[in-house]
Amino acid sequence: MHFASDNTSGAAPEVLAAVVAANAGYAPSYGAEPAMLRVRDRLRTLFEAPEAEVLLLSTGTSANSLALALGCPPWGAVFCHEAAHVAQDECGAPEFYTHGAKLIGVPGAHGRMDPGALRDAIARTGAGGVHGVQRGMVTITNVTEAGTVLTPAEVAALAAEGRAAGLPVHLDGARLPQALAATGASPADMTHRAGITHLTLGATKTGCLGVEALILFDPAARWEGELRRKRAGHLASKHRFLSAQMEGWLADGLWLRLAAQANARGAELAAGLAARPGVRLTHPVEANMIFAEWPAGTAERLRAAGAALYSWPLEPGREGARLVASWCTTGAEVAAVLAALDAAL
Ligand SMILES: Cc1ncc(COP(=O)(O)O)c(C=O)c1O
């Protein structure tokens, strides 16, 4: 009953097989291996972006932070949802990599930035001349921190606010495969056709060992990206193992199948939770993350029964939890945690 995070899952057998195959013999290092060109071309095809450049990194934090450093000057502001991972969960890495850009939190229900609030935040910034930070970049997250999914039209509406002010727009796609599986949207429609200029495509949570692709839709950013990645200590020497994971993951639609599996188990779990008296879903469940409120003591009893989940802060006196289904969550695990929940309630 492992519902703490999709990061607690292992790697898909197909990805492991690709890594084992890449282990044979010798290969050029630092991204010069032939597989990296194949990965770049595969992503160009999948995203219908024949010019896009791709850098592989082993963490989402480094990919996000390098994207922001590429798009935002040290005296710039990065506009993000107030609960965004870049703002809350990256230990200041975006500020560090940008050499001091300021993150400005934008409100919005259920993890979605409100376009009007984003417009206001952009309009307010830079108005004080040299005394304030200047408008820098917008970053959007999909799947959002609240487990909701933005459609391409919603991404485009947010990106348009940034583009109208001449700003580049980053998408944190740590769970982009789940967003694509949920909407059926094409990778291109969800990203560059919606105005996204920099993309973090997360693979780790959805079946890889540890690899994320930073996709630069403006190929002119490649060399600076290469230099920043190396300078940040994130250019892997045995890079072939990063490209092997990505190649195995993208082959035959595996990445979207794994994401769809995670979403399907998430939907089952959400339906089961919503049907229990005393349990309320606090955000719409649109992918593989579920947020619930339930009677005090429930999480403790579930943990005692062997379930792993995160307690999620709500107002004092209310008990909240986050449960995440992963690509390898089984129907039996969902049934087991719901049975444990019945006993706990
Ligand atoms: C929305 C989001 N962005 C990025 C990340 C990537 O973080 P990490 O640096 O842990 O790979 C995560 C992981 O939890 C995430 O949820």
Side-chain angles (χ1 to χ4, degrees), residues 173-239:
R175 297 186 181 85
L176 186 70
Q178 284 79 349
L180 295 174
T183 55
S186 78
D189 285 347
M190 189 63 101
T191 59
H192 61 95
R193 283 197 200 124
I196 299 301
T197 53
H198 300 67
L199 168 67
T200 301
L201 170 62
T204 308
K205 291 180 194 303
T206 314
C208 284
L209 294 154
V211 65
E212 319 273 305
L214 172 55
I215 303 182
L216 306 170
F217 292 110
D218 174 4
R222 183 190 67 84
W223 182 235
E224 186 182 330
E226 296 264 13
L227 295 172
R228 285 187 181 275
R229 175 177 62 171
K230 177 65 186 179
R231 185 167 180 263
H234 271 285
L235 174 57
S237 54
K238 293 193 180 181
H239 191 282

Side-chain angles (χ1 to χ4, degrees), residues 7 59-62 64 85 90 141 145 172 174-175 205 212:
N7 284 331
T59 68
T61 296
S62 61
N64 284 344
H85 200 266
E90 297 189 353
T141 309
E145 306 295 338
D172 177 354
R175 297 186 181 85
K205 291 180 194 303
E212 319 273 305

